[in-house]
Amino acid sequence: MRTIKLLGGLILLIALSCGRSSNQISEQVADSTHFAELTFVEDFFDAGTLHSGELVKHSFKFRNTGNIPLVVKDIIPSCGCTKVDVTSRILKPDEEAIVEVVFDTKGWFGSQYKSVTLRTNGVIREKSVTLKANVIP
């Protein structure tokens, strides 16, 4: 008899915990109107023709067009020749920030495309900017 009560209690506990899990999922789905979204003013810059060894700097402006804070979790340059700095990693809705990209052309020749990816909590988790330069000797 005692085993049956213990087994019944265990089954009730499992049933209640399963109910909570599905409620949390439905709350997340019902709350889909709250989101962060990274939007770049421009996502491509052509620096033109440069001599090898010159530095190219460009500032890409971006904004949180969502309605909850946007968090920049990671900044990933495509190459070690590209340095990156961002003015803010947390943006409230409608706030702007700048990601500054610096490409060192030393040792590079021809048409070069260098990108920087921002990984965020936004609707689209990763967005990139690209800097192009034609490098001559």
Side-chain angles (χ1 to χ4, degrees):
M1 183 66 127
R2 185 176 177 136
T3 308
I4 292 173
K5 286 182 181 180
L6 185 60
L7 184 60
L10 184 60
I11 290 172
L12 181 62
L13 182 64
I14 291 171
L16 289 175
S17 68
C18 288
R20 270 193 216 128
S21 176
S22 63
N23 285 343
Q24 288 174 347
I25 291 170
S26 20
E27 286 174 16
Q28 290 174 352
V29 171
D31 200 23
S32 64
T33 58
H34 294 88
F35 60 93
E37 185 171 5
L38 183 152
T39 303
F40 283 106
V41 173
E42 66 171 336
D43 60 3
F44 182 81
F45 176 73
D46 187 343
T49 301
L50 305 164
H51 290 280
S52 181
E54 289 185 78
L55 293 179
V56 178
K57 292 182 184 181
H58 187 72
S59 298
F60 292 93
K61 189 184 292 187
F62 63 98
R63 170 187 292 271
N64 177 6
T65 55
N67 53 22
I68 65 170
L70 174 77
V71 178
V72 178
K73 297 177 180 181
D74 205 4
I75 303 169
I76 308 157
S78 62
C79 151
C81 60
T82 308
K83 303 297 178 210
V84 184
D85 191 26
V86 66
T87 57
S88 180
R89 285 187 175 253
I90 300 175
L91 284 77
K92 293 177 185 171
D94 293 322
E95 279 189 334
E96 292 183 344
I98 293 173
V99 58
E100 184 173 89
V101 179
V102 180
F103 167 46
D104 184 355
T105 64
K106 184 179 180 180
W108 295 94
F109 298 100
S111 188
Q112 299 296 316
Y113 292 84
K114 303 301 174 188
S115 65
V116 174
T117 301
L118 274 66
R119 187 173 292 150
T120 71
N121 66 325
V123 175
I124 299 173
R125 300 283 184 214
E126 294 183 353
K127 287 196 174 181
S128 299
V129 294
T130 304
L131 188 142
K132 176 187 183 255
N134 182 35
V135 185
I136 58 175

